[in-house]
Amino acid sequence: AQRVTQPEKLLSVFKGAPVELKCNYSYSGSPELFWYVQYSRQRLQLLLRHISRESIKGFTADLNKGETSFHLKKPFAQEEDSAMYYCALRGGPYSGGGADGLTFGKGTHLIIQP
Amino acid sequence: GAGVSQSPRYKVAKRGQDVALRCDPISGHVSLFWYQQALGQGPEFLTYFQNEAQLDKSGLPSDRFFAERPEGSVSTLKIQRTQQEDSAVYLCASSKRSGLAGYTGELFFGEGSRLTVL
């Protein structure tokens, strides 16, 4: 079965410090990995996906198949980055929802202190 | 509206009551998903529709849970004889279908319906 693990429930860093939110996955095929973010009182929304290899709001994430990881990084944290972050995997037909569904981790609550 | 709309936003039910949660997806989105998010947890898959066809209901926790999307647009998640363990936020998401033009893999979520069973 496929699984997404986010080992940190809570991560607190100071403004301007680097941030790394960890995500590890288990899946036997070639997965698609995503990071979703939920700001306070807002809906869950896509932050970035590994296929696009893009930087969104200063965040980047690299898929490391050898370590089965997809850690989210930002060199200088800002207060507006405070939110819940969820790593998600789109695998095959067993991900729940056929080929289109996502399996989510439990999330990391990121707090940026002033 | 431009986004996925869910109602009610909050629902308090007494144990044993039936509840119905509604999801209005983005117009033209073929795929529709229901997720359950318990406190402190990530979203857990419940069921999936492609148009009006329910293609996967493997995540429904019991036969008290039932979902439908009769015309391939609005969907309703019904929970019969609610129990305290059903208390959670129920999220609906929609997307274009993979393989079609404009598909990006992104799921668009509603704000959720928070169910509290007393």
Side-chain angles (χ1 to χ4, degrees):
Chain A
Q2 56 200 48
R3 189 167 56 247
V4 176
T5 302
Q6 294 180 251
E8 304 134 331
K9 287 193 75 170
L10 175 66
L11 182 62
S12 180
V13 302
F14 286 101
K15 177 183 171 182
V19 171
E20 182 178 49
L21 288 80
K22 291 183 167 52
C23 172
N24 288 89
Y25 66 91
S26 62
Y27 180 65
S28 56
S30 292
E32 288 181 64
L33 274 297
F34 303 81
W35 277 98
Y36 277 76
V37 62
Q38 187 168 27
Y39 301 103
S40 178
R41 288 185 289 277
Q42 294 188 27
R43 65 187 68 198
L44 196 58
Q45 59 186 283
L46 177 67
L47 179 62
L48 55 78
R49 64 200 125 201
H50 92 269
I51 286 178
S52 301
R53 295 183 154 270
E54 56 203 343
S55 173
I56 303 293
K57 299 185 179 182
F59 284 98
T60 59
D62 290 319
L63 178 61
N64 186 324
K65 291 186 178 181
E67 296 183 357
T68 59
S69 68
F70 188 56
H71 303 326
L72 183 67
K73 300 177 184 179
K74 184 169 182 175
F76 307 103
Q78 299 172 295
E79 287 186 69
E80 54 264 34
D81 296 329
S82 295
M84 282 295 300
Y85 290 80
Y86 296 93
C87 184
L89 176 154
R90 170 172 289 125
Y94 305 107
S95 65
D100 294 341
L102 295 176
T103 298
F104 286 88
K106 293 188 177 183
T108 298
H109 187 187
L110 177 63
I111 296 174
I112 307 301
Q113 299 189 49
Chain B
V4 177
S5 178
Q6 291 188 246
S7 62
R9 291 290 313 282
Y10 303 92
K11 176 69 178 178
V12 178
K14 291 183 179 179
R15 192 174 57 174
Q17 280 186 329
D18 297 348
V19 299
L21 309 176
R22 175 191 167 103
C23 172
D24 199 342
I26 293 173
S27 177
H29 278 190
V30 169
S31 299
L32 185 144
F33 304 83
W34 283 99
Y35 286 85
Q36 180 190 59
Q37 186 172 23
L39 190 64
Q41 303 295 314
E44 297 274 350
F45 170 79
L46 292 177
T47 187
Y48 161 63
F49 290 85
Q50 196 174 103
N51 294 307
E52 69 279 3
Q54 188 175 21
L55 298 187
D56 188 342
K57 54 182 181 179
S58 62
L60 296 177
S62 77
D63 58 8
R64 295 186 296 104
F65 286 71
F66 171 77
E68 61 183 3
R69 193 185 185 197
E71 297 178 359
S73 178
V74 170
S75 176
T76 304
L77 177 66
K78 298 179 180 178
I79 309 173
Q80 297 176 321
R81 305 182 302 282
T82 53
Q83 304 294 314
Q84 285 187 319
E85 61 263 28
D86 300 335
S87 295
V89 175
Y90 290 86
L91 296 171
C92 176
S94 70
S95 75
K96 296 183 178 183
R97 187 176 178 276
S98 60
L100 297 183
Y103 176 73
T104 63
E106 180 176 1
L107 295 191
F108 294 83
F109 283 85
E111 293 179 292
S113 292
R114 181 179 297 277
L115 172 65
T116 302
V117 182
L118 302 177

